[in-house]
Amino acid sequence: SNCSLRSHHCASRHHRHHRHLRPPLPRPARCRYTSSPPSSCPRPQMNERGIKPNVISYGAAISACCAKGRWERAIELLREMSDAGVPPNTITFSAAISACEKAGRWEKALQLLDEMDERGLKYDVIAFNSAISACVKGKQWMQALQLLDAMKTRDLAPGVISYSMVIEGCQRAGEWERALGLLGVMERAGLDPSPATKQHHYTHALRACAKVRDPERALRLLQVMAAAGIEANTDCYSAVISALQRAGDCREALAQLDAMLARGLVPTTDIYTATILAASDLGDWERALRLLDELQGRGLSPSARALSAVVRACREGGQHERARKLLDAVKIKAGKPVPDDGMRYSTGAAARHTTIRIWADLPESGGVL
């Protein structure tokens, strides 16, 4: 007989496969839910000819509940089937699991998956994918990963959708190394994700590196991408430059900006802000001003942080007149006095809604440094 996913006494051969499939939550013997009004989903009833509802009509009703987000009613109909002498099948269970998935009820989805095994029903990819999706929505990435492994022990081949959902769950939890490992497993299994999918997952990994200020790993990932023929886009460079600037590797941050420009990629406001900060930290006021000029030349509005960094770089570089003119321009655009030390926090609105080209009238610059 089939071994229950909840049983701790099944044969060891099956136990290895089942023991990690679900959290150790007890499942009530009967699951009756009555909070949904009877009219929320159709109830299969005997028609005028006295024909009783069958598995098809119940399946249609459960699917309708799924579409309306009535997961409780879907489970109730599943129980009513048995009471009416209509044994639920894989399709009806999959529909009920899908209803739980749409409602984010990952515990109930796993309980139903468990019950399929107890009833001796054959699993299908749809049921597992719905359960995986429910776990990902519920931020249960380990459960999702265990379900992926369980599919293989049931002779079900996880597809691109299965892997992609688990990878997404790992990335949301900050488990980007595991996510990239699964990307490699996909490729070895002959499931070649699209270039856009690969780029998407690597971008998430690079953002994680930026978050923890790990520029060395971010640079290695860029190298891995290049070796694998995965094109780095603006988002990838944004994450790398951010990681470098936050870690204090300002020269490499500026070098990566040059690299992306050489590839014809257009920097974003965030990239310009990070590199202006990097140039300022290096004391390179000329580069900071050039970057500010480029930013505005592309029709972008400088952030308050960027403007503050340029003023600081000019002052520290002995360019007090440039710093004064920039600060005066910000004060004029803001429409009210802006104290020098409060500029970083007070000029955000002005900086976002206007461009400030203040060195055009400086004789020594000619408009562009």
Side-chain angles (χ1 to χ4, degrees), residues 183-204:
L183 200 61
V185 172
M186 282 183 68
E187 294 176 337
R188 290 191 292 274
L191 299 171
D192 191 19
S194 67
T197 299
K198 293 178 183 179
Q199 189 182 72
H200 170 76
H201 293 313
Y202 271 96
T203 301
H204 271 281

Side-chain angles (χ1 to χ4, degrees), residues 114-158:
D114 233 9
E115 190 175 336
M116 288 182 68
D117 187 64
E118 293 175 355
R119 289 175 176 267
L121 296 175
K122 185 178 180 180
Y123 292 112
D124 64 1
V125 173
I126 296 174
F128 264 97
N129 280 351
S130 295
I132 289 172
S133 179
C135 290
V136 170
K137 287 182 178 179
K139 300 181 180 180
Q140 302 296 317
W141 68 271
M142 288 192 68
Q143 294 290 343
L145 187 60
Q146 290 162 7
L147 285 170
L148 189 69
D149 291 337
M151 289 182 72
K152 301 170 187 176
T153 67
R154 299 294 197 285
D155 295 327
L156 292 174

Side-chain angles (χ1 to χ4, degrees), residues 115-349:
E115 190 175 336
M116 288 182 68
D117 187 64
E118 293 175 355
R119 289 175 176 267
L121 296 175
K122 185 178 180 180
Y123 292 112
D124 64 1
V125 173
I126 296 174
F128 264 97
N129 280 351
S130 295
I132 289 172
S133 179
C135 290
V136 170
K137 287 182 178 179
K139 300 181 180 180
Q140 302 296 317
W141 68 271
M142 288 192 68
Q143 294 290 343
L145 187 60
Q146 290 162 7
L147 285 170
L148 189 69
D149 291 337
M151 289 182 72
K152 301 170 187 176
T153 67
R154 299 294 197 285
D155 295 327
L156 292 174
V160 172
I161 294 175
S162 309
Y163 276 104
S164 295
M165 288 190 296
V166 178
I167 289 172
E168 192 72 24
C170 290
Q171 288 173 340
R172 290 179 184 178
E175 297 286 334
W176 64 268
E177 289 180 310
R178 198 182 297 269
L180 292 183
L182 287 172
L183 200 61
V185 172
M186 282 183 68
E187 294 176 337
R188 290 191 292 274
L191 299 171
D192 191 19
S194 67
T197 299
K198 293 178 183 179
Q199 189 182 72
H200 170 76
H201 293 313
Y202 271 96
T203 301
H204 271 281
L206 289 166
R207 286 173 181 166
C209 292
K211 189 175 182 179
V212 299
R213 303 188 182 187
D214 191 347
E216 294 182 2
R217 190 165 291 183
L219 290 172
R220 285 201 300 270
L221 283 176
L222 267 188
Q223 294 172 353
V224 171
M225 291 178 68
I230 304 170
E231 184 176 353
N233 60 10
T234 301
D235 288 338
C236 294
Y237 277 103
S238 179
V240 172
I241 290 171
S242 177
L244 290 164
Q245 186 272 322
R246 290 182 182 183
D249 194 348
C250 299
R251 294 189 187 281
E252 185 60 33
L254 293 171
Q256 290 299 322
L257 173 65
D258 293 337
M260 70 172 293
L261 289 171
R263 297 184 56 188
L265 297 174
V266 179
T268 62
T269 300
D270 287 340
I271 291 174
Y272 273 117
T273 298
T275 49
I276 287 172
L277 290 170
S280 178
D281 289 342
L282 289 172
D284 191 346
W285 64 269
E286 292 180 296
R287 183 72 186 268
L289 275 176
R290 280 201 302 272
L291 290 170
L292 183 61
D293 193 28
E294 289 176 17
L295 181 154
Q296 296 178 118
R298 294 185 185 276
L300 302 174
S301 297
S303 68
R305 291 184 70 203
L307 291 168
S308 180
V310 174
V311 169
R312 175 167 58 87
C314 289
R315 282 177 172 170
E316 292 177 354
Q319 301 296 312
H320 299 291
E321 181 65 12
R322 296 177 190 274
R324 184 187 65 77
K325 288 217 175 247
L326 176 58
L327 189 57
D328 287 346
V330 172
K331 290 178 179 179
I332 292 171
K333 295 298 182 181
K336 57 183 179 180
V338 181
D340 293 7
D341 59 357
M343 175 182 161
R344 181 174 194 151
Y345 307 100
S346 304
T347 63

Side-chain angles (χ1 to χ4, degrees), residues 7-42:
S7 177
H8 294 286
H9 306 289
C10 58
S12 60
R13 180 171 65 87
H14 292 288
H15 182 68
R16 293 193 306 272
H17 297 163
H18 298 173
R19 60 184 175 180
H20 298 304
L21 186 54
R22 49 123 186 112
L25 296 174
R27 179 176 61 84
R30 306 284 289 178
C31 294
R32 297 285 185 180
Y33 301 93
T34 57
S35 61
S36 300
S39 60
S40 61
C41 293

